[in-house]
Amino acid sequence: MINGLFQIALFLGVLLATARPMGYYMLRVFDGKLPAFVRWMQPAENFFYLLCGVDSKHEMRWTQYAMALLCFSLLGALAVYALQRLQVWLPLNPQSFGAVSPDSSFNTALSFVTNTNWQGYAGESTMSYLTQMLGLSVQNFFSAATGMAVVIALIRGFSRHTTQTIGNFWVDMTRSTLYILLPISTLLALVLVSQGVVQNFSAYQTVPLMESVSYDQPKLDDSGNPVKDAAGNAVTDKVVVKEQNIAMGPVASQEAIKQLGTNGGGFFNANSAHPFENPTPLSNFLAMLAMFLIPAGLCYTFGSMVGDTRQGWAILASMTILFVGFLSVAEYAEQQGNPAFTALGVDQSVSATQSGGNMEGKETRFGIVNSALFATITTAASCGAVNSMHDSFTPLGGMVTMAQIQLGEVVFGGVGSGLHGMLVYAVIAVFLAGLMIGRTPEYLGKKIEAFDIKMASLVILFPPLIILGGTALAVMLAVGKSSIYNPGAHGFSEVLYAFSSAVGNNGSAFAGISANTPFYNTALGFAVWAGRFWLMIPVLALAGSMAAKKRIPVSAGSMATHTSLFVWLLTGTVLLVGALTFVPALALGPVIEHLNMIKP
Amino acid sequence: MFKELRPAVVSFLLLTLLTGIAYPLLVTGISQATMADKANGSLIVKDGKPVGSELIGQSFSDPRYFWGRPSATGPMPNNASASSGSNLGPSNPALMDAIKARVQALRDADPGNSLPVPVDLVTASASGLDPHISPAAAEYQLARVARVRNLAPNTVNKLVADHTEGRQFGILGEPRVNVLELNLALDALH
């Protein structure tokens, strides 16, 4: 118990200590004033612009910025689709995996380009090493770099005045990749290997089992139909297995960027629960830190760029308050465990020799503390990597993960997308405050006008529309319902989680749902695309509108946006908007399930 | 749109080469040169042959061995090329049936033992490949293994202690026992 609190405090302490140096470094990178230890790469960067035909001094209007971003993302989607469809003829496919189905390839391509990394497939039985590294891993870099570019453009909107331009997409994207994502990933990948994460191109390794295992396999006739006996029961063959076939691959390099870029797409099906992706408590700690490193640092970058670091700290404070609140519920719920287990003679109490609690779908090395912590981080951060199975969480623990995604992942949030979401909430918060006192709202010296509120409203209202609409559609259709795995209210939660995760670009799942069907692959494919770009475009429009405005001097009537009053106002706005939208849906899922579970 | 086409195509190709080829090859090169054992799966080698991985659990049901975490992989447990959890929800009757059966199997293998069963011993792990159990789960099975093998409980206890790992740096994670290594050591006693 004491140790658990200490582990959580240590994590938060280390994270908050990194925010300032990380934020300062990113500030220098985006301003082009590189620190000495990366300055040697600058000639390469300039040569790169030369090859691409990019004038790095050229500034873009928001429309051109958005167009460049869409162009780049579309190209990525085509490449990932093609790699999956053609992998059977391409090298680095030691397990000879066939082409991925068209609908699954479509879903995966969109999902990785949008930083979602929703996975309808199981990595180790579907994707060749080439597809993993050249398709998926590359998009882990690009989608994170794109997310950072958009938030930097929005911050420029606030920090500039009376101008039409918000920066150059190619420059922002390239610098994020070269100076931020690539160096940190390389270091992280090597530390992960030292903990036991695999990094090789070998075929799967076969080892003997100490004790053979057997299972019954349905017998098939020559045409592949199940054989039935006279009574109509399926005939089965007993299969005895004496060997274990251990999946391998270039995992560490993908794992590092998957966490750092808040992508979350596992090399293996079990994601960060797999011992080859996340073998030790240290690898787990670093994986968690990597998810929040850039989002927390960007708050400082934001404060510095708008010329008042207190503005950045206020945003970070609001995020931290929300995070600690959600984390407490998740930790408490999972540690309390499942009353039904106790009735079966199972000991769930915490002691020096066991972590106790609800251990279904959790790994021993992580126990309750690090499983609930990881789950809260990954859903706050729009990452979607999992080190435990959210579908097997207690109803309240599972609800925390879902609710954080539904709030728009603004609690730290995805790389870039978290902060731009939170800044939109800040605009809404000052607007609400303005309504209450009857003044024209201002944020960071910019008047918030009708166009800005329209763009902010799109960002706030659009995701719930697709999440709730999509869920409603799926539970009305037979093809939607037939994929549900768990019975009762929990089955509804699986569908609600799937659409929340897709629109929120999270990628985690209540994974019992069989999402690798044409219906879900298509519906969720469109949901991830809409959830990403239909939000980025209004955000860039907001950036353009802000940049064009005059800066108005602070007066006695201006509301300060760095005070604790504003921190609570912002926190309250996030919770209120989220609660008003999603409480009815959550009541049908996790709330009912919880009440049923605790009823005597 | 067309103005952005050249930068889009060229930067996509160049950055793909950098992040999709150069970066994984660099990490592979350094790892294979300096940490080949880890990079190749932390295999346990006996008489020159791999007999398992330290990090990948195997399935045990013989009372002579310590049993690991239940595994929900298909078609057989601990399938290391198809990692998966059970994804059974907390109120799914199938989960209760599975746990009931696992408790029963433990009781049948050790009829005299009426201690409550540690939760990790009857719940499926997240990966289906969890190599560890809690020290409590090892303690629960200790008397059974010693009796079936005609060993003094102290001998087995010492072996368990040797294969118990504390929290990393004394702080991180949870204490745990590596089941495969413990069982290999048990067999090596004879």
Side-chain angles (χ1 to χ4, degrees):
Chain A
M1 181 69 194
I2 301 293
N3 168 273
L5 290 175
F6 187 70
Q7 290 198 54
I8 292 166
L10 182 71
F11 173 78
L12 282 173
V14 172
L15 173 72
L16 295 175
T18 60
R20 193 190 160 109
M22 190 66 207
Y24 182 65
Y25 177 65
M26 292 192 283
L27 175 74
R28 298 277 297 260
V29 167
F30 287 112
D31 278 350
K33 298 181 191 120
L34 297 175
F37 61 94
V38 286
R39 205 175 295 146
W40 57 273
M41 285 163 73
Q42 205 150 27
E45 185 197 336
N46 292 331
F47 182 61
F48 174 82
Y49 296 141
L50 197 70
L51 290 177
C52 299
V54 168
D55 173 10
S56 62
K57 299 277 183 300
H58 171 74
E59 288 270 330
M60 295 175 168
R61 288 163 168 266
W62 79 264
T63 42
Q64 194 190 358
Y65 201 98
M67 193 55 88
L69 180 155
L70 282 174
C71 237
F72 188 65
S73 302
L74 206 63
L75 213 58
L78 291 173
V80 178
Y81 183 84
L83 272 167
Q84 293 177 83
R85 301 287 293 141
L86 302 175
Q87 67 175 10
V88 62
W89 295 290
L90 296 173
L92 288 180
N93 185 2
Q95 301 306 119
S96 312
F97 293 132
V100 184
S101 74
D103 55 304
S104 177
S105 302
F106 166 79
N107 180 284
T108 305
L110 295 190
S111 159
F112 275 73
V113 168
T114 55
N115 201 272
T116 309
N117 297 24
W118 170 269
Q119 296 174 289
Y121 63 90
E124 66 266 52
S125 55
T126 314
M127 299 293 180
S128 76
Y129 293 165
L130 189 78
T131 309
Q132 297 261 26
M133 60 189 244
L134 205 57
L136 306 184
S137 193
V138 163
Q139 283 309 320
N140 284 353
F141 280 98
F142 292 178
S143 62
T146 309
M148 283 158 90
V150 170
V151 79
I152 292 298
L154 177 61
I155 299 172
R156 286 198 191 109
F158 285 114
S159 68
R160 294 176 175 184
H161 59 93
T162 47
T163 173
Q164 296 298 321
T165 60
I166 53 172
N168 184 313
F169 172 75
W170 304 114
V171 174
D172 292 339
M173 186 273 299
T174 306
R175 287 188 180 152
S176 318
T177 310
L178 284 185
Y179 301 121
I180 300 169
L181 299 173
L182 204 51
I184 303 179
S185 296
T186 308
L187 280 180
L188 181 58
L190 292 172
V191 179
L192 290 178
V193 175
S194 80
Q195 296 300 299
V197 179
V198 294
Q199 179 73 22
N200 59 56
F201 293 97
S202 319
Y204 293 2
Q205 171 78 44
T206 303
V207 298
L209 285 173
M210 283 188 77
E211 192 185 321
S212 59
V213 291
S214 60
Y215 65 92
D216 294 323
Q217 190 179 46
K219 195 171 171 173
L220 301 179
D221 62 19
D222 293 339
S223 50
N225 298 316
V227 178
K228 300 217 163 126
D229 64 14
N233 296 318
V235 179
T236 54
D237 285 331
K238 197 178 172 80
V239 181
V240 178
V241 182
K242 294 195 162 72
E243 285 175 333
Q244 193 178 35
N245 201 17
I246 303 178
M248 293 282 162
V251 179
S253 52
Q254 187 158 330
E255 182 69 14
I257 183 61
K258 158 200 156 199
Q259 299 298 126
L260 183 69
T262 62
N263 296 281
F267 196 95
F268 301 114
N269 186 44
N271 209 302
S272 285
H274 196 295
F276 279 169
E277 280 198 29
N278 192 0
T280 67
L282 178 64
S283 65
N284 190 62
F285 185 88
L286 294 174
M288 297 191 296
L289 189 63
M291 287 190 268
F292 271 1
L293 191 66
I294 294 177
L298 278 173
C299 292
Y300 181 85
T301 313
F302 159 70
S304 302
M305 283 178 75
V306 298
D308 180 1
T309 47
R310 295 174 306 178
Q311 303 289 345
W313 294 123
I315 300 277
L316 188 61
S318 178
M319 289 176 171
T320 309
I321 292 168
L322 285 162
F323 178 73
V324 170
F326 282 116
L327 177 66
S328 311
V329 177
E331 292 281 358
Y332 175 81
E334 294 310 302
Q335 191 67 64
Q336 286 303 300
N338 191 330
F341 294 178
T342 310
L344 299 172
V346 174
D347 180 11
Q348 293 181 90
S349 62
V350 57
S351 74
T353 54
Q354 70 165 5
S355 74
N358 172 27
M359 283 298 286
E360 178 70 24
K362 296 191 178 64
E363 297 280 296
T364 312
R365 61 195 178 283
F366 307 136
I368 297 297
V369 173
N370 284 292
S371 298
L373 181 57
F374 196 111
T376 312
I377 294 170
T378 196
T379 49
S382 144
C383 180
V386 294
N387 78 349
S388 55
M389 294 302 140
H390 295 182
D391 213 351
S392 299
F393 271 38
T394 60
L396 289 184
M399 185 170 81
V400 164
T401 61
M402 208 182 320
Q404 287 199 109
I405 299 174
Q406 290 161 345
L407 289 184
E409 289 155 333
V410 292
V411 182
F412 295 93
V415 166
S417 60
L419 181 60
H420 73 56
M422 198 56 152
L423 291 177
V424 167
Y425 268 112
V427 166
I428 298 283
V430 293
F431 174 67
L432 292 179
L435 289 180
M436 285 188 263
I437 54 171
R439 277 184 172 277
T440 315
E442 298 163 17
Y443 186 51
L444 306 170
K446 297 292 175 73
K447 219 180 250 176
I448 308 293
E449 292 165 299
F451 177 80
D452 313 312
I453 289 298
K454 280 181 199 158
M455 292 302 117
S457 305
L458 279 181
V459 173
I460 303 285
L461 293 178
F462 196 70
L465 189 73
I466 318 181
I467 295 173
L468 297 174
T471 306
L473 182 73
V475 296
M476 284 189 295
L477 296 176
V479 283
K481 280 186 289 192
S482 61
S483 286
I484 292 174
Y485 180 60
N486 283 291
H490 197 88
F492 174 76
S493 299
E494 286 182 348
V495 179
L496 180 62
Y497 197 113
F499 279 93
S500 304
S501 176
V503 174
N505 292 160
N506 187 278
S508 67
F510 273 11
I513 193 167
S514 317
N516 198 355
T517 63
F519 172 74
Y520 279 103
N521 277 332
T522 313
L524 297 175
F526 283 114
V528 296
W529 190 258
R532 177 84 165 174
F533 296 108
W534 292 5
L535 298 195
M536 276 189 170
I537 292 170
V539 166
L540 286 172
L542 186 63
S545 155
M546 288 293 158
K549 287 177 201 282
K550 285 201 300 267
R551 176 166 299 138
I552 41 178
V554 178
S555 71
S558 315
M559 190 181 67
T561 50
H562 61 265
T563 57
S564 61
L565 177 70
F566 182 74
V567 169
W568 288 107
L569 178 69
L570 179 58
T571 309
T573 307
V574 171
L575 285 176
L576 194 70
V577 171
L580 287 175
T581 319
F582 287 104
V583 161
L586 290 173
L588 293 176
V591 174
I592 287 190
E593 194 183 12
H594 176 70
L595 294 177
N596 271 326
M597 190 179 85
I598 60 166
K599 111 187 136 187
Chain B
M1 175 105 195
F2 291 107
K3 217 169 91 188
E4 302 306 332
L5 219 52
R6 173 170 168 209
V9 172
V10 180
S11 69
F12 182 80
L13 290 177
L14 289 177
L15 288 176
T16 297
L17 287 179
L18 183 68
T19 58
I21 306 265
Y23 161 68
L25 287 184
L26 175 75
V27 174
T28 310
I30 299 177
S31 313
Q32 291 291 342
T34 59
M35 304 172 275
D37 283 355
K38 303 271 190 193
N40 292 328
S42 307
L43 298 176
I44 306 170
V45 178
K46 223 166 91 182
D47 307 325
K49 286 196 186 115
V51 293
S53 164
E54 279 171 41
L55 295 175
I56 303 292
Q58 295 191 2
S59 172
F60 294 96
S61 55
D62 191 316
R64 308 164 33 83
Y65 289 121
F66 282 90
W67 300 356
R69 296 288 304 279
S71 163
T73 60
M76 68 281 200
N78 295 80
N79 182 351
S81 41
S83 60
S84 165
S86 76
N87 285 316
L88 291 169
S91 51
N92 193 331
L95 176 61
M96 306 314 149
D97 292 345
I99 292 181
K100 215 181 284 177
R102 290 167 191 152
V103 170
Q104 195 56 49
L106 282 162
R107 298 249 190 259
D108 289 348
D110 190 10
N113 189 346
S114 57
L115 295 168
V117 182
V119 64
D120 62 305
L121 204 48
V122 288
T123 46
S125 68
S127 61
L129 302 171
D130 193 342
H132 301 114
I133 52 176
S134 67
E139 216 172 278
Y140 178 86
Q141 305 182 68
L142 203 150
R144 179 196 79 215
V145 173
R147 194 179 59 245
V148 176
R149 287 184 178 255
N150 288 320
L151 288 168
N154 269 340
T155 317
V156 182
N157 199 3
K158 186 170 173 312
L159 221 49
V160 170
D162 288 347
H163 291 88
T164 303
E165 224 179 315
R167 292 195 163 95
Q168 206 167 4
F169 314 118
I171 299 168
L172 296 179
E174 301 293 332
R176 55 211 184 271
V177 181
N178 190 306
V179 179
L180 178 62
E181 291 188 311
L182 175 60
N183 285 333
L184 282 168
L186 270 175
D187 274 3
L189 279 181
H190 295 276

